[in-house]
Amino acid sequence: MSSIISGHDIYALQLQKNTDVTSHHTLIEVELRRKTLYEDILKCVKNWIFDHSDRNDRKRLTEMQMSHLLLRYIFNKKATLFDSKSDPVFIIGKSSLARNQLERDLKNINLKGAEKLAEIIDGELESAATQLRSEKFRKDKQVTLSTSTDGKLIYRDRSQKDFNQLAQRYGPDYYNAAYALGLRYTYICLTGHGLARSYKEETDRSPRDTSVCECFASAFNHYFDQYHSAFPDLEVFFGSRGSFFNINWAEQPSNMTYYVSPPYDESLIQLAVDHVFNALDNHLVSQSTFIFCIPGRWTNFSALDALKASSWMQDFVDYPKDKLPFIDYMATNEKDRIIYPTDTCIITLSTEIKKEKTQSIPSRTKKRTNEIEEIEDYNSKT
């Protein structure tokens, strides 16, 4: 095989859905280039915000907030436009969901011009995807592990933490994939924000239980072996079943329990609720339970209202901020792993119970008016 591989050939390999990690030879080199392209797009977003903000707003707006604004926009595009031919980060096309959320985000920081900024981002994403397809890449060198206690992955004199000991748990064949995935989570600013429920303590179920699935997780922060995640192109090597929004209900067994813990982003939560309602209302699943974990104190929160009013609802528990623990599997220090991020509601829907309700169910397409005060709330992902 040639030591130079084109972006077109890389996509051809991805379309084959080859989960043999040893057959992928440019994971890191491609991701390093994707990182550069992503940082260029983020720079464009920051420059636009800076040019359209007054001096006081510039002081209040943090680098992390601006980074999360772009990340939220891309994740909303992924949820609505992503398919097997898409670049995992540079999603091409126009998403009304992403644009509506961007308008709300800009309103939160006293900015107008969401349509113009959306056009800029969409153009930059398409340009980046095109560039990545047309370029050629040298083959990766083998990643090495510094020491088992240090947990550093080394690639061409670059070092990176082995998040949640992913590479160490899977072995040398997976070092390169773990490095590439950690690199992506780092440059899109997701490290340290992927929170998981403490399922082991809460459920007393084995991680190998085939009747349980986590719908929003990652290779770093899942407990159950069956999980869905945002970046299946790399996480498939570590057991990901792909995006929850692309799930094939016909292939799912009966008697399943789905833990639905979306990122704390209003648009994505509403999309997840609608996705589950569609499966229930159209009888696409049988003998199944869906357990939602979402914020409990947002106002005008139509997704929560719809869940509470649903005839499928079996149970509802409202936890104050300091009562329901989450785990940050990517935390640098062990003492920082247990977190109590916010007030949380746990709502259980089941096909085994369909209560007749006298009140009307809120419209699932009702425009969401809740405004999240801090953009970084997006990263309080469960």
Side-chain angles (χ1 to χ4, degrees):
M1 179 181 288
S2 169
S3 61
I4 301 295
I5 303 177
S6 71
H8 177 78
D9 291 335
I10 292 165
Y11 275 74
L13 285 172
Q14 289 178 338
L15 293 178
Q16 293 173 9
K17 298 182 179 179
N18 190 342
T19 59
D20 177 12
V21 69
T22 62
S23 67
H24 295 261
H25 306 289
T26 61
L27 295 175
I28 297 176
E29 291 297 327
V30 171
E31 204 57 39
L32 286 170
R33 179 60 177 140
R34 190 178 277 120
K35 173 180 181 290
T36 300
L37 292 168
Y38 187 89
E39 289 172 343
D40 289 342
I41 298 173
L42 180 57
K43 184 177 180 181
C44 287
V45 172
K46 290 179 177 178
N47 287 340
W48 187 93
I49 292 175
F50 185 84
D51 291 341
H52 290 75
S53 305
D54 63 34
R55 184 167 299 179
N56 291 330
D57 287 331
R58 291 172 196 165
K59 292 179 181 178
R60 288 197 297 266
L61 197 60
T62 67
E63 290 284 317
M64 188 62 72
Q65 284 177 308
M66 290 186 284
S67 298
H68 293 170
L69 186 145
L70 175 60
L71 179 60
R72 189 204 299 266
Y73 188 80
I74 289 175
F75 265 41
N76 279 306
K77 290 190 73 172
K78 282 176 68 69
T80 52
L81 300 176
F82 184 78
D83 60 32
S84 61
K85 297 181 181 180
S86 301
D87 184 90
V89 176
F90 307 130
I91 311 298
I92 296 176
K94 181 177 178 179
S95 167
S96 58
L97 181 79
R99 292 189 171 214
N100 290 339
Q101 183 64 58
L102 180 64
E103 184 175 3
R104 290 193 291 272
D105 286 342
L106 291 187
K107 184 179 180 181
N108 290 338
I109 55 178
N110 301 315
L111 283 181
K112 297 181 180 179
E115 184 175 353
K116 179 59 178 177
L117 180 56
E119 292 291 343
I120 292 172
I121 297 175
D122 286 345
E124 292 292 328
L125 291 174
E126 182 171 358
S127 176
T130 301
Q131 288 185 62
L132 205 60
R133 283 178 178 271
S134 62
E135 294 181 13
K136 296 183 181 296
F137 299 91
R138 59 182 176 176
K139 291 178 64 175
D140 292 342
K141 282 191 173 182
Q142 177 62 39
V143 168
T144 58
L145 185 67
S146 55
T147 65
S148 58
T149 54
D150 177 275
K152 293 286 186 180
L153 298 174
I154 311 299
Y155 180 75
R156 298 186 190 272
D157 297 325
R158 300 169 182 260
S159 67
Q160 180 185 175
K161 180 177 175 59
D162 181 15
F163 296 112
N164 200 21
Q165 297 185 325
L166 186 64
Q168 295 182 59
R169 287 187 286 117
Y170 276 80
D173 284 346
Y174 294 84
Y175 284 4
N176 284 33
Y179 187 101
L181 185 60
L183 178 63
R184 182 179 298 172
Y185 269 71
T186 300
Y187 71 73
I188 66 174
C189 299
L190 268 181
T191 57
H193 296 281
L195 305 183
R197 296 270 302 283
S198 53
Y199 293 114
K200 180 178 180 179
E201 293 75 16
E202 292 178 28
T203 70
D204 199 31
R205 300 174 82 158
S206 166
R208 292 175 293 280
D209 191 333
T210 58
S211 64
V212 185
C213 181
E214 292 179 59
C215 300
F216 293 88
S218 78
F220 301 116
N221 74 345
H222 67 96
Y223 171 71
F224 294 107
D225 289 349
Q226 296 190 90
Y227 71 96
H228 294 271
S229 64
F231 299 114
D233 64 305
L234 292 175
E235 292 176 304
V236 68
F237 304 126
F238 305 102
S240 171
R241 305 179 71 186
S243 169
F244 175 61
F245 295 114
N246 292 334
I247 191 172
N248 186 339
W249 296 115
E251 295 180 353
Q252 307 309 306
S254 60
N255 198 33
M256 284 290 294
T257 298
Y258 299 91
Y259 286 97
V260 191
S261 302
Y264 279 11
D265 169 275
E266 190 177 8
S267 294
L268 283 176
I269 292 173
Q270 184 68 52
L271 202 63
V273 170
D274 291 343
H275 191 48
V276 171
F277 278 155
N278 179 68
L280 290 170
D281 294 342
N282 291 289
H283 307 287
L284 304 180
V285 292
S286 63
Q287 298 178 324
S288 297
T289 299
F290 295 87
I291 302 176
F292 279 84
C293 178
I294 60 176
R297 291 291 180 270
W298 290 357
T299 58
N300 300 318
F301 190 12
S302 61
L304 177 57
D305 293 339
L307 287 170
K308 291 167 69 174
S310 171
S311 56
W312 302 103
M313 192 185 79
Q314 184 183 65
D315 192 30
F316 173 85
V317 183
D318 190 359
Y319 292 92
K321 182 177 179 177
D322 60 345
K323 295 300 181 182
L324 187 66
F326 291 79
I327 303 174
D328 179 3
Y329 284 110
M330 299 178 75
T332 302
N333 299 315
E334 189 69 27
K335 64 181 180 62
D336 297 325
R337 283 206 161 192
I338 304 301
I339 298 175
Y340 296 83
T342 187
D343 302 293
T344 304
C345 286
I346 305 297
I347 306 103
T348 302
L349 308 183
S350 174
T351 57
E352 299 305 296
I353 182 169
K354 197 175 193 308
K355 298 180 294 184
E356 296 297 328
K357 292 182 176 285
T358 56
Q359 71 261 41
S360 60
I361 297 176
S363 171
R364 295 166 190 162
T365 59
K366 173 183 174 183
K367 181 178 179 181
R368 278 82 73 192
T369 58
N370 178 56
E371 296 178 2
I372 305 170
E373 294 182 356
E374 297 291 338
I375 293 177
E376 60 259 34
D377 281 353
Y378 170 73
N379 287 286
S380 297
K381 185 173 75 169
T382 60

